[in-house]
Amino acid sequence: MSQIRYTKDHEYIRIEGDEGVVGISEHAQSQLGDVVFAEAPPVGKTLKAGDAAAVVESVKAASDVFAPASGEVVAVNSDVEATPGLINEDALGRGWLFRIKLADPNELSGLMDEAAYANYLKILS
Amino acid sequence: MNTQGRPTRPAGSEGVAHRTFTGNRALDMEEALIFETGRFDATGVDIDEPAPFQSRLGPHARQRGLDLPGLAEPEAVRHYVRLSRDNYSIDAGIYPLGSCTMKHNPRLNEKMARLPGFADVHPLQPVSTAQGALAVIEALADVLMTMTGMSAVAMSPKAGAHGELCGMMAIKAAIEARGEAEARRVVLVPDSAHGTNPATAALIGFSVRPVPAGEDGNVSAETVKATLAPDVAAIMLTNPNTCGLFERQIVGIAEAVHEAGAYFYCDGANFNAIVGKTRPGDLGVDAMHINLHKTFSTPHGGGGPGAGPVTLSPRLAPYAPVPFVVRDGEGLRLVEHASGSESFGRMTAFHGQMGMFVRALSFILSHGADGLRQASEDAVLAANYVRASLNDVMSAPFGDRVCMHEALFDDRWLKDTGLTTLDFAKAMIDEGFHPMTVYFPLIVHGAMLIEPTESESKASLDRFIMTLRDLAFGAKAGKRERFLPAPVYAPRRRLDETRAARQPVLRWTRPAPV
Amino acid sequence: MRYLPLDAAERETMLVRIGVPDIEALFADIPADKRIEGLLDMPPGMSEMAVERTMTAMAARSRAAGSAPFFLGAGAYKRHIPASVDHLIQRSEFLTSYTPYQPEIAQGTLQVLFEFQTQVAALTGMEVANASMYDGSTACGEAMLMAHRLTKRRKTILSGGLHPQYADVAATLTHMAGDAITRLPPDATASEDVAAAIDDVTSSVIVQSPDFFGNPRDLAPIAAAAHAHGALMVVVFTDPVALGALRSPGEMDADIAVGEGQGLGNALNFGGPYVGLFATRLKNVRQMPGRLAGETVDASGRRSFVLTLSTREQHIRREKATSNICTNSGLCALAFSIHLSLLGETGLNRLANVNHANAVQLADRLSAIPGVEILNTHFFNEFTMRTPRPGAELIEALARRGVIGGLTVSRLLPGAALGDCIVVASTEVNTDEDRTAYAKALGECLR
């Protein structure tokens, strides 16, 4: 049973065992508009929480994707590089960006769960 | 005698627009690419064969073909004339782009620029044979200093952004000369700044620290003081700012910046509002670029060329780049090398945008002291007239405040209409107007920035205002069909920009043989 | 005033609508003690006639290149431009339109840019080109920075054949950004060993062909050496017509090709406005600065053109942009494109051939004069000439005899030991009479 956590910058991390799958939230993709380009970090790169890890671009905007937690990049989603529209269609599913091996699962407690994030979005709007 | 008559008035309104065979709609013509209509073995230029000679190209001669089509002159003229007709232009109508200053481009400027003594002079001719060209540079530099109250001008930057780079390089050179290059690595930039400001700072290794504006749309001296620190090299401010407002506390800001040992870069994109009304040098500015293609009417040419000379205060003058013109007894000469001086070096080959200098000088001489002041006043008057005529139907982010040469609205008034700033802009196109600047500055939601300039007659302004009012009422009355599909009358409807970015096709390629 | 349509009554009416008593009320935000009382200290406005008189008098103080035998190049070339070019660029819709941010009413500009990009890519033998830069020298500087982004290294090597002012521009940018640069000594005979200077921290090597001294270079071995070290090769050219006669940068395996486009469609204009050409491999396109026009369709399915990949640019990325550039050199790019469309490959070949023929004829005649030595084994339309007299003196002496004979190398390279050398160019505009005049004048100067 995988849990999902969100950051204030609208990234999500879906926890699967000792790994986390990172992408941008539904809200983020709708704010950006049609995604035209996504660049994930290289496999093997070590990230600290808060590092600028990936980039997502639409026609009129660009957004840095920050690592929600620390860890080593173990996989990237090559589908998204070929078909960036997946991020719009299915941000939480097939539009994932990269997977990390979590260095410190305790970091996750500082992130918002689904309900907290929904609340956060209400406050922002 | 001609006894054969024919009908001389329209028979009745039958039939609607139908699809034509050509895709043309009378004078509105489709035009293919030269690679589709030109012939790859044709040429429209007659060139005489030289007498036989021994080639000295050696092994470097080209072997491969180039795949470039040629057109006979009639075909070329048709091609470009047809293409030109798909463009909106200042010559055709009001072009109210905020921060772009789309004023009339006087044709006298074009005539002067084409005098052989300006156009047909090589930059590296012996200086004794180019005195007229150097005289233009000197004359324009003089008058720019008079207008700005600054003590030197770097004339060589090729565009506004290039001018920003020049000013920031001069600042960096000044800081290095004080031995503070390692200490001062931060530049303060408001969030409302044009993107070129932070991009320029980053290009030469500065990091950018934001300075927030207040509720009133201005940057306060208090905020600047709070953001200043010993690591700050400079502040970059636009004045009047990108919201069309004069920075009221600019003198206090300049003082605070100088007290902190930093420099004041002013983005002069909006200089059109204040020429002849105040001098940036008097306000405490250390460097300010001037966009000759904005304030001084050199034509925008579909995106360029521009010119961005940078006026400098006494603090920064010693670091100005080469080349510059100096008086030498009776004549003028160029200083072309930085060695032996504190100049930070060279920013471009040759001497700057001479063709734009001639045009700008022609504009400035035409207006003179009285005309320049009148132009600034008319620009500010026109913008406020537009603002006062629309502020009951459109929402302004900073209330009912007097603006300078451009009026800023946001999209709060479109709330509940289901329409965006973009939809409003596209509907303007169908009405025959180029839209105003939209979505800039970034700090205002759905920004609409209108700069009419001094070139618009009152009749033109009134027609523009009445049209926008009509559109605004239509938006609020739910007439979405006027907006959502717009533009419907332009040569093209809305474009698929997503596709252009996801599947970039950036050149024509020969189709594969079938 | 002829450019200001408002009259006094209208201004009054407008003030009433705004609700202020006078125009000064609209300038109230300017601190009172900083307002200019009265007018700026400059003359009053002038009629068209008066402006023409003044500026014509200024123009008369320069000698037009077309008025005398003219043999000066060194980065800007006197070319015959077909009459229709200048006529077409003065059409209102090209001259007075803005950057095509509203593509529905700017298809003219956008299609021209798409054609221009295709022409530049074809000419340079590269896969993709942008919609132009300010000029060749700033394009060269931007190529250097692009190589840094691609290789993640910050050291550049400049060939000794690179135009000295281009090298100065690169050096200024390098110093300001805190990077490293190696400038090989001026090399008039194409004998330097660029490959030997490349190492594993080199970002790019910047070479020019034909070089500043007129030598076409075989750059493929340098490309190989660069690539072996993980570095890039940037190839510079200063006369696009040279690409009609010589192997293209793409053929020599360049990673980035940049150059000056003035030599097609654009007058000498004392150094500006010119037009920078910039081309690269498709895989590098996201790191390429400058605007890009791309093809797409509109809502009715019709082929259309639009500025694209804009997220590279300053208005979106701000401090993370590939560059700070905002304008291109639109009208100059249009002039280039029109001229090249008229020429086509056939015309360009012939034009290049005439340029080369004229240069060869000139070189033969000048080298027959005692004391004159032409340094180049191969050249296109420019070569370097050594004489017993200092170049600076010789150029002045020739000018006094009514001949613009070239560039004294000492003007751009004051320190180098090439003070007795002149770079001489010859394009299609030179006639037999011009060559005779030059040979005669030079003979007299060297007696």
Side-chain angles (χ1 to χ4, degrees):
Chain A
M1 173 55 185
S2 56
Q3 292 175 67
I4 192 161
R5 290 279 183 275
Y6 291 88
T7 69
K8 286 200 158 62
D9 282 315
H10 310 287
E11 292 99 7
Y12 69 79
I13 179 163
R14 191 174 63 246
I15 299 113
E16 293 178 356
D18 62 350
E19 292 182 346
V21 178
V22 179
I24 64 170
S25 69
E26 260 304 307
H27 171 86
Q29 75 72 18
S30 76
Q31 287 290 299
L32 268 179
D34 288 342
V35 176
V36 302
F37 179 73
E39 191 172 43
V43 170
K45 178 151 189 192
T46 307
L47 297 167
K48 278 194 336 291
D51 278 354
V55 171
V56 176
E57 293 179 10
S58 64
V59 174
K60 299 293 190 196
S63 193
D64 282 318
V65 177
F66 300 98
S70 312
E72 185 193 317
V73 179
V74 297
V76 300
N77 186 355
S78 52
D79 285 341
V80 132
E81 304 208 7
T83 314
L86 285 172
I87 295 177
N88 298 114
E89 289 167 42
D90 191 10
L92 265 52
R94 288 171 306 139
W96 65 278
L97 290 171
F98 59 93
R99 177 187 282 271
I100 54 172
K101 193 163 163 66
L102 294 167
D104 179 9
N106 289 321
E107 284 176 335
L108 301 170
S109 57
L111 303 177
M112 293 177 270
D113 65 15
E114 229 166 329
Y117 183 60
N119 235 9
Y120 175 62
L121 289 180
K122 274 208 201 78
I123 297 171
L124 281 183
S125 66
Chain B
M1 212 165 76
N2 180 17
T3 60
Q4 181 67 60
R6 55 183 177 273
T8 53
R9 81 190 126 98
S13 59
E14 51 189 82
V16 243
H18 61 279
R19 283 204 62 158
T20 59
F21 176 75
T22 53
N24 295 344
R25 289 159 301 285
L27 287 180
D28 177 10
M29 297 175 171
E30 295 291 307
E31 180 62 14
L33 296 166
I34 52 170
F35 307 95
E36 293 161 334
T37 59
R39 286 156 297 155
F40 286 82
D41 59 349
T43 180
V45 181
D46 294 326
I47 299 172
D48 296 330
E49 274 297 305
F53 69 101
Q54 187 76 295
S55 166
R56 301 283 292 272
L57 296 177
H60 307 286
R62 180 166 61 79
Q63 310 291 347
R64 292 191 200 163
L66 288 172
D67 231 11
L68 287 169
L71 301 168
E73 185 178 302
E75 296 174 299
V77 170
R78 285 237 175 103
H79 180 73
Y80 291 101
V81 166
R82 284 192 195 139
L83 286 182
S84 75
R85 300 218 301 244
D86 284 341
N87 275 1
Y88 191 92
S89 61
I90 301 171
D91 281 356
I94 186 174
Y95 218 126
L97 283 175
S99 273
C100 297
T101 313
M102 305 295 289
K103 62 173 74 182
H104 172 69
N105 305 141
R107 287 316 191 274
L108 177 64
N109 299 358
E110 296 306 307
K111 188 175 177 186
M112 296 298 91
R114 285 166 169 82
L115 290 170
F118 297 138
D120 196 23
V121 179
H122 190 290
L124 296 175
Q125 283 180 209
V127 155
S128 58
T129 68
Q131 290 293 299
L134 296 177
V136 166
I137 300 178
E138 190 199 34
L140 182 61
D142 273 350
V143 79
L144 291 179
M145 285 190 278
T146 300
M147 287 179 208
T148 57
M150 305 282 265
S151 58
V153 198
M155 295 295 286
S156 60
K158 296 250 164 187
H162 207 216
E164 288 176 40
L165 189 61
C166 175
M168 294 307 291
M169 284 186 171
I171 289 171
K172 188 158 188 180
I175 289 174
E176 270 181 22
R178 282 171 13 197
E180 292 187 308
E182 283 311 305
R184 294 184 184 270
R185 313 216 46 167
V186 173
V187 172
L188 305 184
V189 180
D191 285 334
S192 58
H194 192 275
T196 50
N197 290 178
T200 298
L203 208 59
I204 47 177
F206 288 118
S207 63
V208 170
R209 182 176 300 155
V211 185
E215 294 281 304
D216 62 351
N218 282 123
V219 174
S220 73
E222 279 310 300
T223 311
V224 172
K225 279 180 198 149
T227 326
L228 277 166
D231 63 352
V232 172
I235 188 170
M236 296 177 84
L237 270 195
T238 309
N239 186 46
N241 66 24
T242 59
C243 301
L245 305 170
F246 191 89
E247 286 292 4
R248 297 190 268 224
Q249 299 194 27
I250 190 168
V251 175
I253 291 171
E255 281 167 4
V257 166
H258 291 145
E259 249 182 65
Y263 292 87
F264 188 157
Y265 184 85
C266 184
D267 182 324
N270 292 329
F271 192 37
N272 202 46
I274 55 173
V275 177
K277 304 301 287 182
T278 186
R279 277 175 290 250
D282 295 346
L283 302 172
V285 166
D286 287 307
M288 185 180 95
H289 79 271
I290 297 175
N291 302 73
L292 296 186
H293 47 294
K294 296 186 181 188
T295 317
F296 297 112
S297 84
T298 75
H300 286 85
V310 184
T311 54
L312 298 166
S313 68
R315 282 174 235 260
L316 291 181
Y319 307 102
V322 289
F324 46 86
V325 176
V326 294
R327 205 149 253 296
D328 198 358
E330 279 305 306
L332 297 166
R333 66 180 175 85
L334 278 165
V335 174
E336 297 187 283
H337 295 281
S339 57
S341 77
E342 292 175 284
S343 162
F344 71 72
R346 177 176 277 278
M347 295 192 72
T348 177
F350 313 127
H351 326 307
Q353 304 285 65
M354 177 66 183
M356 314 338 272
F357 298 159
V358 173
R359 290 170 170 88
L361 188 61
S362 166
F363 176 92
I364 289 167
L365 291 176
S366 296
H367 283 70
D370 50 334
L372 287 173
R373 190 178 70 177
Q374 188 65 69
S376 302
E377 289 177 358
D378 283 356
V380 172
L381 182 66
N384 277 284
Y385 183 62
V386 169
R387 181 187 59 79
S389 307
L390 293 175
N391 61 7
D392 60 322
V393 293
M394 291 165 62
S395 50
F398 304 111
D400 192 22
R401 195 180 145 180
V402 158
C403 62
M404 295 245 79
H405 64 311
E406 53 195 7
L408 179 62
F409 296 96
D410 59 29
D411 63 359
R412 282 174 297 150
W413 64 279
L414 281 171
K415 199 162 103 86
D416 303 327
T417 61
L419 298 170
T420 62
T421 293
L422 185 73
D423 297 321
F424 189 77
K426 297 304 185 188
M428 287 172 70
I429 292 175
D430 277 333
E431 296 291 339
F433 294 124
H434 192 284
M436 69 288 265
T437 295
V438 292
Y439 300 106
F440 178 81
L442 299 174
I443 57 166
V444 168
H445 202 272
M448 302 180 206
L449 189 60
I450 302 175
E451 181 183 356
T453 83
E454 70 273 18
S455 303
E456 297 306 312
S457 68
K458 185 164 175 300
S460 168
L461 291 171
D462 286 333
R463 208 155 61 95
F464 179 73
I465 287 164
M466 294 315 294
T467 308
L468 257 59
R469 291 182 70 82
D470 190 62
L471 281 171
F473 287 132
K476 293 185 194 186
K479 302 267 185 262
R480 291 155 55 125
E481 66 283 359
R482 214 173 149 188
F483 298 88
L484 291 175
V488 297
Y489 297 116
R492 284 296 181 266
R493 313 249 329 257
R494 291 198 207 187
L495 273 61
D496 190 345
E497 299 189 43
T498 300
R499 171 172 160 163
R502 282 186 182 162
Q503 296 144 236
V505 176
L506 305 171
R507 58 170 295 178
W508 175 86
T509 357
R510 204 180 256 288
V514 180
Chain C
M1 197 276 156
R2 60 189 181 276
Y3 303 132
L4 301 175
L6 297 176
D7 68 29
E10 288 169 333
R11 291 184 181 116
E12 269 313 304
T13 309
M14 291 164 76
L15 286 169
V16 168
R17 163 106 35 112
I18 296 166
V20 292
D22 55 36
I23 190 70
E24 290 310 319
L26 299 178
F27 291 89
D29 280 347
I30 302 178
D33 60 333
K34 305 295 182 190
R35 289 182 215 160
I36 298 174
E37 295 301 325
L39 298 173
L40 288 167
D41 182 18
M42 52 186 283
M46 294 161 73
S47 67
E48 270 204 44
M49 188 169 73
V51 173
E52 277 196 53
R53 202 179 283 142
T54 301
M55 297 199 71
T56 304
M58 287 169 96
R61 291 168 52 201
S62 287
R63 192 187 310 181
S67 67
F70 191 85
F71 296 94
L72 173 54
Y77 299 88
K78 176 142 178 70
R79 200 114 288 126
H80 173 263
I81 302 172
S84 52
V85 175
D86 196 42
H87 171 87
L88 288 166
I89 66 171
Q90 289 188 79
R91 281 187 70 80
S92 290
E93 302 90 331
F94 285 137
L95 186 71
T96 75
S97 58
Y98 187 62
T99 308
Y101 288 132
Q102 300 288 349
E104 301 90 340
I105 45 175
Q107 287 298 296
T109 298
L110 287 161
Q111 183 167 332
V112 164
L113 291 180
F114 188 79
E115 292 177 347
F116 170 83
Q117 285 167 194
T118 306
Q119 287 171 320
V120 172
L123 203 58
T124 55
M126 306 294 288
E127 291 172 327
V128 63
N130 72 13
S132 79
M133 314 286 283
Y134 309 140
D135 78 332
S137 69
T138 54
C140 179
E142 291 282 350
M144 177 181 76
L145 298 177
M146 178 174 163
H148 292 339
R149 290 191 294 274
L150 286 168
T151 61
K152 308 225 189 307
R153 301 173 183 176
R154 317 261 343 159
K155 177 178 148 196
T156 309
I157 308 213
L158 303 183
S159 157
L162 182 63
H163 191 293
Q165 292 183 338
Y166 284 44
D168 289 343
V169 170
T172 304
L173 272 175
T174 298
H175 174 75
M176 284 287 166
D179 300 328
I181 197 162
T182 300
R183 285 174 83 152
L184 298 179
D187 175 32
T189 50
S191 39
E192 66 185 354
D193 186 358
V194 178
I198 306 172
D199 59 23
D200 288 336
V201 295
T202 302
S203 161
S204 73
V205 56
I206 304 184
V207 279
Q208 181 175 328
S209 181
D211 67 20
F212 173 69
F213 300 96
N215 305 301
R217 302 255 189 143
D218 179 15
L219 299 176
I222 298 175
H227 297 154
H229 286 278
L232 303 180
M233 180 172 80
V234 176
V235 176
V236 176
F237 57 92
T238 57
D239 184 358
V241 173
L243 296 177
L246 299 170
R247 290 173 70 204
S248 69
E251 252 186 276
M252 296 191 282
D253 214 15
D255 296 289
I256 306 172
V258 290
E260 179 52 64
Q262 172 273 327
L264 281 175
N266 290 279
L268 290 169
N269 274 316
F270 200 57
Y274 286 171
V275 51
L277 310 180
F278 197 113
T280 189
R281 301 181 195 274
L282 199 54
K283 64 178 175 154
N284 298 335
V285 76
R286 285 186 180 279
Q287 292 304 327
M288 181 165 71
R291 296 196 183 127
L292 272 174
E295 184 182 318
T296 184
V297 292
D298 79 338
S300 301
R302 291 172 294 186
R303 178 175 69 185
S304 318
F305 301 97
V306 68
L307 291 180
T308 190
L309 299 187
S310 313
T311 46
R312 298 160 303 122
E313 298 183 69
Q314 48 76 23
H315 57 290
I316 293 176
R317 286 278 190 161
R318 297 174 70 89
E319 64 265 24
K320 298 194 181 157
T322 52
S323 179
N324 72 343
I325 288 167
C326 198
T327 49
N328 64 348
S329 196
L331 203 69
C332 299
L334 173 64
F336 174 100
S337 192
I338 297 173
H339 192 174
L340 192 50
S341 300
L342 284 164
L343 283 168
E345 178 170 353
T346 303
L348 184 65
N349 282 345
R350 288 188 197 153
L351 181 60
N353 197 35
V354 169
N355 271 254
H356 185 50
N358 282 357
V360 168
Q361 283 198 52
L362 180 66
D364 287 344
R365 290 192 66 174
L366 297 183
S367 54
I369 298 169
V372 170
E373 184 199 346
I374 310 268
L375 301 187
N376 311 60
T377 310
H378 302 120
F379 56 85
F380 167 60
N381 67 356
E382 202 158 25
F383 52 83
T384 301
M385 178 173 80
R386 168 175 281 142
T387 76
R389 274 185 86 169
E393 260 182 50
L394 187 54
I395 289 297
E396 291 297 327
L398 288 169
R400 282 194 298 275
R401 285 170 173 74
V403 173
I404 305 292
L407 176 79
T408 171
V409 174
S410 59
R411 179 167 173 178
L412 261 49
L413 290 167
L418 293 165
D420 54 355
C421 288
I422 291 176
V423 177
V424 181
S426 181
T427 68
E428 72 282 4
V429 307
N430 297 127
T431 61
D432 243 356
E433 289 78 21
D434 292 337
R435 287 185 279 276
T436 301
Y438 195 161
K440 178 164 182 285
L442 186 59
E444 284 167 15
C445 290
L446 296 182
R447 205 156 292 144

